[in-house]
Each structure stands twice: as C-alpha cells, then as structure tokens.
Amino acid sequence: GSRLSLSHRACVISLSLLQRARLPRIFTATMLIKEYRVVLPMSVEEYHVGQLYGVAKASRQMSNSKERVEVLVNEPYEKETPTGMEKGQYTEKIYHIASRVPGWIRWAIPGRWMQLHEKAWNAYPYCRTVLTTPALNKFEISVTTIHAAGGPVEPNIHHLEGKGLDKREVVIVDMAFDALDQEDYKAEEDPTIVASAKTGRGPLARDWKETSDPLMTAYKLVSALC
C-alpha cells in the first residue's frame, strides 16, 4: 500500500543522507551527532505498520546464501526509565556481508571486514539501534528514534544537554522531494507520482508538509563514534 511505500522511501532517504554526511575518518576518535527529522504524511500508528514491512523487506534484500543475517537474541524486554516503564522487543544480530553492505555505512567499513553486530531495542514509538564491528574497538553508530505526531517542530525531543546539544546538527528530511541515489529510486514508490486509493492521499505537492493531515515526524538522533 501507499503508506508502506512512503515509510520505506523515508528510511532510504535518511540512510542516504547519513552516507553523505562526510563523517570524520575512522581513526580520529570523534563523536558526531546529527538529528534527522523525517516528516511523513501519515499517523504514528500507520507508520508503525510501514516500518515493520520496511524492516522485513530490507532483511530479505540483504540476505542470500553468502549474505545472511544471524539472529542471536529475539526476546521481549522491559526496564525502568525516567519517564516510566519501557517495554518492547530486544534483538541481537550479526550481519555477514559479502558483496553488499547497507549504503549508509559504506564510507566506514573496508571490504575485508564483512561483519556488523547490531543490538536493537524496539519499544515503538521509541526505538534504538547500536551498530559495532569487531574490527574497530572504537567504532559505534547509535540511532535513537522517537516517532511523534505533527511537524518537525520539537526543539529537543531527545533531551540532549551540554556538549551533546551544542554538537547536534538538525537535518529536515523531505521524503517526497529530497534526491535519492539512482539505484534506490522506484517510480512505483515515488509519492510525487503515486496516489493511494485506500487513504485518498497523494500525489504530494511541494507544500505537502504544510497541508497534509495527518502528519508525523520521526526524530532520528544519530551518534557516530569514529
């Protein structure tokens, strides 16, 4: 459906932007912090359906006989947080990569290091993913996402303080009109072309972020320790 394609396209765009972020070389021990605000013409509940579909689709595309995802842990979790009890699904995975790697980390992983370790906490609308590689002790990418109704107007939804807030760079992602790499573009998923008969949404015009109802934003806080 249209909402599945839209959420999948939003993920592709935000990962593509991260790839182009020109992060420091991996031996400089530098922390980089970016907050991607991905705006979407749907409700938080609708996006959850599309997110599950997009994750499953990406896993299928990345996996074959040589390129597989090894699931080590997949279990419910709960923990106390300052805002209350957090409950969700915790997973640990190892990505065994041969000829393909996720586009947003091609800048960092040399071809001879074909293994990524992922830990993920999914308590939607809160999600957190941490990526490491055994080849580099100081290398870590953390992506913390909060999905919220409305436009990208929350000034500090991740409650950053001090140097973290000072270092943060905010990037507003337009999932309809931001450029995609040619290999990622699919006309059948282009929201400026397609329309959803089920929801009556689309195609999206230039002012869609001001006129769409419902509207939500995925606030993706990306921290890269290199």
Side-chain angles (χ1 to χ4, degrees), residues 200-216:
R201 302 171 202 164
L204 298 182
R206 282 282 178 183
D207 63 347
W208 71 270
K209 293 193 295 297
E210 289 74 43
T211 59
S212 294
D213 184 23
L215 191 73
M216 63 154 287

Side-chain angles (χ1 to χ4, degrees), residues 46-63:
E46 288 174 323
Y47 180 76
H48 192 200
V49 177
Q51 181 202 52
L52 295 173
Y53 167 82
V55 169
K57 182 177 180 180
S59 295
R60 288 196 304 269
Q61 290 175 341
M62 288 179 60
S63 302

